[in-house]
Structure formats: structure tokens, C-alpha cells
Amino acid sequence: GVFWALIPAAGIGRRMGTDRPKQFLTLGPRSVLAHTLSIFLEHPRIRGVILVLGPDVDPDALDLPLAGGRLFRVAGGDERADSVQNGLDFLEERAGPEDWVLVHDAARPCLPPDDLDRMLDELRDDPVGGVLAAPSTDTIKWADADGRVESTLDRERVWRALTPQMFRLGTLRDVNARARAAGHPVTDEASAIEWAGLRPRLVEGSLMNIKITRAEDLELARLYLLEQGRLDGG
Ligand code: CTP
Ligand code: MG
């Protein structure tokens, strides 16, 4: 199979509350985004990387890793799903409908390369595709709008969806467009795939693969990169 990475990095990071969007904050010598891109650019099985940036971002002002012509830039949209759609539309010109696309949040720089390999191996012959996921450590309550619990979900079956989310280009482009047009909330790629009646497979991934969301997450990401030997101490 042929594998592409699509990195949505066009968000503003409202919850982080920093002066720059969180993907441009630094972890050691490089930006969060540069860490994330390196995982895919240094991976021998990834053919190319589509980077979706905000329309106002000057890419020359970013210290992006050397890519040898394997990095392509696209302008993003208002919602994450719009940014992803722009990336998929771009890819349609250069990739086949059966090629795999791995959509991965720019704000997840701690994805272990081993998880990526395992995902490619486990899903390469899958009819649908799937997502990295982590078993829930908390008990999850299902509640009404007033915060009154209706039920407790069976913890053995509750998973947190991480990224990458890996689907065939043709399928993902089609269902993402249709789910958005139908007004279905597309918070991740899998939700669009599910909306179309398909069932993504979960591949268990590392808990280190956090999405940097709030201020305290940056320190945690630093620790995880250190632990993986991807950041020098001190
Ligand atoms: N993203 C994007 N285009 C958007 C919104 C989000 O490409 N219109 C990207 C973000 O840059 C991020 C990923 O999607 O890498 C996950 O989104 P999230 O963590 O929600 O980031 P933000 O939307 O930037 O943060 P916030 O929701 O706190 O504003
Ligand atoms: Mg957001």
C-alpha cells in the first residue's frame, strides 16, 4: 500500500491561551509542529506529508524540517474537518483513491514511531481502516444536559480516540464531504466514517500520544519526548 500523512495545523489553540497557536510553541530546540512533522518525514513508509496551515501563516517564518520534496502545504479552513477536507482535495490530484491517508493532529508531537508502524501493519489489509486509541482509565458516565447521570458505560468497551486516523483517500474524502454537508458534527475522521455506516478498527496506542490542549499539557509533552529520547535533557 501507499501511505500519506495529512497534518491539520490550522487551528488557533483557543484553550491553550498563549500568544501563538500551540503548534508553534517550542519544545526544546524545535516547535511542536516540527516535532510532529519529523515523525512522518523520517518514516520510510510515508510517501509524503500534507501540512494544512492557517491562511495567514507565513511558512517561511516556520523552522520546518528538511523534507526533500515530500512536504506539501495547503491552506486550512474554519473547522478541523474543513482543514482536513482541503488537504484531501489537494491529495486527490497526486494520489490514488485506494491510497491510505493518516490524519494526525499537529498538536500530538509525542506519537511513538512504533505505534505508527504497528498501525500500518495492522490496518494495511483492513477493508475500512481505523484509529489509534487508548483504553479509558476512568469510568465514563452518560448524562443528560442537566448533568444528571443516565447510565454508566462498560469500561471494558470505552476507548479514547487518538490520531493518526487511517482511511482510504477515496472513502474518506467522500464521507467527510457528505457528513459535513449533512450537518453531522465531524470531530474526527472516524466519526464521518461511522456516519456512513462503516466500522473503523481500534489499534491500541500509547498513552504518551496526548493532544496538547491546555497550558499544563506542554510540560507533559516535554517529559514524554525526553522519555522517548527525542529531546535532550537540561
Ligand atoms: N485544526 C485545523 N483547522 C482548524 C481547527 C483545528 O487544522 N480549523 C487542527 C489544530 O491545529 C490541531 C488539530 O486540528 O492540530 C486538533 O484540533 P484542536 O486540538 O482543537 O486545536 P485548536 O482548534 O487549535 O485548539 P482549540 O480548540 O483550543 O482552539
Ligand atoms: Mg479545536
Side-chain angles (χ1 to χ4, degrees):
V2 177
F3 304 99
W4 300 86
L6 195 169
I7 313 291
I12 56 168
R14 194 179 34 76
R15 286 169 290 182
M16 196 76 190
T18 43
D19 56 343
R20 290 171 284 174
K22 57 196 182 183
Q23 58 273 27
F24 306 129
L25 299 174
T26 50
L27 279 170
R30 332 156 70 185
S31 65
V32 168
L33 176 61
H35 282 288
T36 304
L37 287 173
S38 295
I39 303 166
F40 293 92
L41 290 170
E42 288 167 13
H43 198 286
R45 294 163 79 184
I46 302 292
R47 166 111 13 133
V49 178
I50 317 306
L51 171 61
V52 188
L53 288 172
D56 304 328
V57 174
D58 172 13
D60 295 327
L62 308 173
D63 73 297
L64 299 178
L66 290 175
R70 284 164 71 230
L71 182 61
F72 306 89
R73 293 187 311 256
V74 176
D78 288 345
E79 307 278 333
R80 184 179 176 287
D82 303 320
S83 295
V84 169
Q85 190 69 38
N86 291 359
L88 295 171
D89 290 348
F90 173 89
L91 204 46
E92 215 252 337
E93 312 266 296
R94 358 187 106 58
E98 299 298 309
D99 288 4
W100 290 106
V101 185
L102 288 91
V103 180
H104 182 72
D105 295 327
R108 293 185 192 266
C110 305
L111 164 68
D114 284 354
D115 279 17
L116 182 52
D117 270 313
R118 203 153 28 74
M119 175 174 220
L120 298 183
D121 289 336
E122 285 189 26
L123 297 180
R124 57 180 304 157
D125 297 320
D126 195 273
V128 179
V131 305
L132 276 187
S136 177
T137 49
D138 295 317
T139 295
I140 306 293
K141 302 292 183 186
W142 184 261
D144 65 17
D146 297 328
R148 180 74 59 184
V149 172
E150 285 177 1
S151 63
T152 298
L153 300 185
D154 176 0
R155 199 171 71 191
E156 298 297 303
R157 297 181 60 179
V158 175
W159 295 76
R160 295 189 297 118
L162 312 173
T163 73
Q165 305 212 347
M166 170 174 158
F167 298 102
R168 305 243 184 221
L169 172 60
T171 308
L172 184 56
R173 186 163 171 268
D174 172 62
V175 301
N176 198 55
R178 286 196 290 120
R180 284 159 66 242
H184 182 76
V186 178
T187 51
D188 67 347
E189 288 56 62
S191 58
I193 296 284
E194 294 152 38
W195 174 85
L198 299 168
R199 298 183 59 195
R201 175 163 292 281
L202 300 178
V203 176
E204 185 164 348
S206 165
L207 293 168
M208 284 196 278
N209 186 8
I210 58 165
K211 186 173 73 168
I212 296 175
T213 303
R214 297 190 176 80
E216 58 271 26
D217 296 331
L218 202 62
E219 258 332 287
L220 199 53
R222 195 187 308 278
L223 284 174
Y224 288 151
L225 287 179
L226 263 175
E227 197 168 313
Q228 292 181 42
R230 293 169 52 205
L231 205 62
D232 290 333

